[in-house]
């Protein structure tokens, strides 16, 4: 295997360059999505921080998720907007590594954070009397801190590993971001062992939290079905439905992208799947958690009333 890693000092993100006639439309679309994503998630962060009624474990984790989504979309979309506006698609090797690190950090953190949110719903529905003990402030801080620490370790480990491999050319990345599977397409020589290590690590990171989530919701559903009244069952399930939607969207696309060899990478379809979980999912979270959540809507109403005239 070649060992000269100094040949490639920059990469070219192909992105949507083939759609030259749609650059202006794509710029407007992604700019709108980005602004709405940041505004929606920032609103949730502000509401949870400002309203005493939302200072519960569930909303503590939701605030972490919204903070994460702001970072997640900010790692990818501003650079994409720059490329669409200027046509300049070059990115230095160090910039590519930095983008990969933060993208993996936020993605891995979300894997763990969604599992913590599932545990919160399990404790609230299946162990209501022990809920304050199981989800104490200290426990919540430990779970959230562990999720962020795991994300940082995964981002650092994978990024260091990938960029220690030799890149001898070509340097065009068939993607709109420095996504790990796309960057691996440019590595010289036989990388089958490297791919296996990355796939195993991704499987451990994605499937273990996903298994915990499935186990939690299995217990939750069993508990809900034992509730005698239909109204009680509906109320219990409604507190979990938003989280189930987010989990399905995030894990479904993550499993499709990461748990497979690079030979199956499709430069036509894979960036579109990545676009879904990197750009679309972050804007869905505030919609799902706010429009379907009476507590969040009530908190927003109280904030608006406080900001209005005194007589209101």
């Amino acid at each position: 295997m070649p060992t000269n890693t100094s040949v490639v000092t920059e990469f070219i993100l192909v992105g949507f360059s083939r759609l030259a006639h749609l650059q202006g439309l794509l710029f407007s679309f992604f700019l709108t999505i980005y602004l709405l994503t940041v505004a929606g998630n920032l609103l949730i962060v502000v509401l949870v921080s400002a309203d005493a009624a939302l200072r519960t474990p569930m909303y503590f984790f939701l605030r972490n998720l919204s903070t994460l989504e702001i970072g997640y979309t900010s790692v990818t979309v501003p650079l994409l907007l720059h490329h669409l506006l200027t046509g300049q698609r070059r990115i230095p090797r160090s910039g590519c590594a930095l983008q990969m690190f933060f993208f993996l950090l936020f993605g891995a953190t979300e894997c763990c954070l969604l599992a913590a949110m599932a545990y919160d719903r399990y404790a609230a529905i299946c162990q209501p009397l022990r809920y304050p003990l199981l989800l104490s402030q200290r426990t919540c801080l430990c779970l959230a801190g562990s999720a962020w620490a795991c994300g940082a370790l995964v981002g650092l480990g994978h990024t260091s590993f990938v960029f220690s491999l030799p890149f001898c050319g070509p340097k065009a990345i068939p993607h709109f971001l420095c996504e790990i599977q796309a960057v691996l397409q440019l590595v010289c020589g036989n990388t089958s062992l490297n791919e296996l290590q990355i796939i195993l690590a991704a499987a451990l990171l994605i499937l273990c939290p996903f298994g915990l989530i499935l186990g939690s919701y299995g217990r939750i559903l069993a508990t809900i079905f034992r509730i005698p009244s239909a109204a009680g069952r509906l109320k219990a399930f409604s507190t979990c439905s938003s989280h189930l939607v987010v989990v399905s969207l995030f894990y479904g696309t993550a499993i499709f992208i990461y748990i497979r060899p690079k030979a199956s990478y499709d430069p036509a379809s894979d960036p579109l799947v990545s676009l879904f979980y990197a750009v679309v999912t972050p804007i869905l979270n505030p919609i799902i958690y706010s429009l379907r959540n009476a507590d969040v809507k009530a908190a927003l109403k109280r904030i608006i009333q406080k900001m209005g005239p005194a007589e209101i």
Side-chain angles (χ1 to χ4, degrees):
M1 179 181 292
T3 57
N4 183 4
T5 61
S6 64
V7 173
V8 176
T9 59
E10 65 177 10
F11 298 100
I12 298 173
L13 291 170
V14 175
F16 301 98
S17 58
R18 295 184 180 88
L19 303 175
H21 58 295
L22 296 176
Q23 298 297 289
L25 181 62
L26 290 171
F27 177 84
S28 300
F29 172 74
F30 287 120
L31 178 61
T32 302
I33 291 290
Y34 179 65
L35 293 177
L36 290 175
T37 299
V38 172
N41 283 288
L42 187 60
L43 178 62
I44 289 179
V45 172
V46 170
L47 288 176
V48 174
S49 301
D51 195 284
L54 299 183
R55 291 172 190 169
T56 64
M58 182 175 77
Y59 293 108
F60 169 78
F61 291 125
L62 179 56
R63 181 174 62 182
N64 273 268
L65 181 64
S66 292
T67 303
L68 182 152
E69 297 292 22
I70 293 173
Y72 205 17
T73 193
S74 295
V75 169
T76 57
V77 179
L79 183 62
L80 174 59
L81 292 173
H82 171 72
H83 292 165
L84 290 171
L85 185 63
T86 65
Q88 164 60 267
R89 302 180 185 279
R90 297 180 183 276
I91 182 172
R93 181 176 174 138
S94 58
C96 188
L98 195 63
Q99 185 185 53
M100 181 184 290
F101 165 74
F102 280 108
F103 189 74
L104 291 172
L105 182 154
F106 291 124
T109 301
E110 185 162 352
C111 282
C112 300
L113 195 60
L114 290 175
M117 294 174 75
Y119 175 68
D120 168 74
R121 293 299 82 209
Y122 160 77
I125 293 175
C126 301
Q127 304 283 341
L129 298 180
R130 300 180 60 205
Y131 182 67
L133 178 63
L134 293 175
L135 271 298
S136 63
Q137 183 179 18
R138 180 178 179 180
T139 301
C140 291
L141 289 172
C142 287
L143 288 173
S146 298
W148 284 97
C150 178
L153 289 174
V154 168
L156 182 62
H158 275 318
T159 304
S160 301
F161 180 69
V162 170
F163 282 88
S164 67
L165 299 173
F167 294 93
C168 314
K171 57 183 180 180
I173 299 175
H175 213 293
F176 62 89
L177 64 92
C178 291
E179 196 269 333
I180 189 168
Q181 290 281 25
V183 174
L184 277 177
Q185 305 299 309
L186 308 184
V187 174
C188 303
N190 183 2
T191 61
S192 56
L193 180 59
N194 309 119
E195 292 173 52
L196 179 61
Q197 293 172 335
I198 291 174
I199 291 172
L200 290 176
L204 181 66
L205 176 68
I206 295 172
L207 296 182
C208 285
F210 189 51
L212 292 173
I213 291 172
L214 291 179
S216 296
Y217 275 99
R219 297 289 299 274
I220 288 171
L221 290 175
T223 301
I224 288 175
F225 288 138
R226 289 199 295 266
I227 297 176
S229 69
R233 290 194 296 270
L234 181 62
K235 182 179 179 181
F237 185 75
S238 66
T239 64
C240 304
S241 57
S242 299
H243 186 243
L244 277 173
V245 172
V246 173
V247 166
S248 301
L249 293 173
F250 180 79
Y251 278 99
T253 52
I255 290 172
F256 175 80
I257 287 291
Y258 290 107
I259 306 181
R260 57 180 182 157
K262 80 170 186 179
S264 62
Y265 180 84
D266 185 351
S269 63
D270 282 29
L272 295 178
V273 177
S274 298
L275 187 69
F276 186 80
Y277 72 79
V279 178
V280 178
T281 301
I283 196 177
L284 293 179
N285 285 348
I287 296 173
I288 292 170
Y289 282 109
S290 59
L291 295 182
R292 295 174 55 86
N293 192 302
D295 292 337
V296 172
K297 288 187 284 188
L300 178 59
K301 184 177 180 180
R302 287 191 292 270
I303 293 294
I304 293 174
Q305 289 175 339
K306 289 179 181 179
M307 296 173 62
E311 61 269 18
I312 293 180

